[in-house]
């Protein structure tokens, strides 16, 4: 935990490094939360299809009901199982995944306006606010750091 927070608060940390460390922390927390609990490997395999769907349709307006139907679960059971296994609701997971992909494109030098359209954000100001909130950098700062 300390490594991630130190890295995220450091002025000379590269945004990609902070992002990668955040995902490592997230995955570690999921692993820790499942210790001593019943084995959910069958559910995890089943729900991994839902993550594949989210990933392949990242730029579209995807509904929880559509994903639940694709994995043959009711919406209620899908949300419950997903949160139980992954620690987040499907919606939160999808939004985090979408923001991560948008952030990575920003690091590669893509324009904020193009990224906002590609990932179906309402406008570039909305995307900029989310990036600032979640990563602590404005898009302009991310571009300046990533091009050094």
């Amino acid at each position: 935990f300390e490594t991630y927070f130190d890295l995220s608060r450091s002025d000379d940390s590269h945004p990609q490094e902070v992002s990668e460390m955040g995902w490592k922390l997230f995955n570690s927390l999921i692993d820790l939360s499942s210790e001593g609990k019943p084995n959910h490997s069958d559910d995890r395999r089943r729900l991994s299809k839902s993550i594949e769907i989210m990933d392949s349709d990242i730029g579209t307006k995807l509904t929880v009901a559509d994903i639940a139907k694709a994995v043959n679960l009711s919406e209620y059971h899908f949300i419950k199982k997903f949160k139980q296994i992954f620690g987040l609701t499907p919606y939160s997971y999808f939004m985090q995944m979408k923001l991560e992909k948008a952030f990575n494109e920003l690091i590669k030098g893509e324009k904020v306006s193009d990224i906002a359209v590609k990932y179906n954000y309402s406008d570039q100001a909305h995307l900029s606010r989310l990036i600032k909130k979640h990563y602590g950098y404005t898009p302009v700062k991310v571009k300046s750091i990533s091009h050094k």
Side-chain angles (χ1 to χ4, degrees):
F1 294 108
E2 288 180 34
T3 304
Y4 169 74
F5 292 113
D6 291 343
L7 186 64
S8 68
R9 290 187 175 103
S10 174
D11 289 336
D12 58 341
S13 296
H14 192 278
Q16 182 67 32
E17 192 178 17
V18 174
S19 175
E20 288 171 4
M21 184 62 75
W23 278 105
K24 285 180 185 177
L25 174 62
F26 174 73
N27 287 322
S28 296
L29 290 171
I30 288 175
D31 291 341
L32 282 173
S33 72
S34 63
E35 286 181 6
K37 292 184 179 175
N39 186 347
H40 296 291
S41 60
D42 290 338
D43 290 334
R44 187 181 290 267
R45 278 192 294 276
R46 186 179 200 183
L47 292 176
S48 61
K49 180 180 178 185
S50 68
I51 292 174
E52 291 171 13
I53 292 167
M54 290 180 208
D55 191 40
S56 66
D57 294 341
I58 198 106
T60 64
K61 287 196 177 194
L62 201 56
T63 67
V64 172
D66 292 338
I67 302 169
K69 186 176 179 181
V71 296
N72 298 317
L73 288 171
S74 71
E75 193 172 339
Y76 171 80
H77 282 99
F78 172 60
I79 293 168
K80 182 179 177 183
K81 288 285 186 190
F82 195 98
K83 185 167 184 174
Q84 186 178 43
I85 292 171
F86 298 111
L88 292 170
T89 63
Y91 177 80
S92 295
Y93 190 95
F94 181 69
M95 298 311 285
Q96 188 65 33
M97 177 190 282
K98 189 165 96 162
L99 187 60
E100 180 73 16
K101 288 185 180 284
F103 184 72
N104 286 330
E105 291 209 15
L106 186 63
I107 289 171
K108 292 175 187 172
E110 297 294 323
K111 291 178 8 181
V112 179
S113 57
D114 293 342
I115 297 169
V117 169
K118 181 176 181 177
Y119 291 104
N120 209 16
Y121 287 99
S122 56
D123 56 35
Q124 71 183 43
H126 179 221
L127 177 57
S128 295
R129 281 191 307 274
L130 287 173
I131 288 172
K132 173 71 174 163
K133 179 181 176 184
H134 289 274
Y135 297 103
Y137 300 99
T138 64
V140 172
K141 181 73 172 171
V142 171
K143 281 188 174 188
S144 71
I145 292 171
S146 63
H147 287 94
K148 285 185 178 179

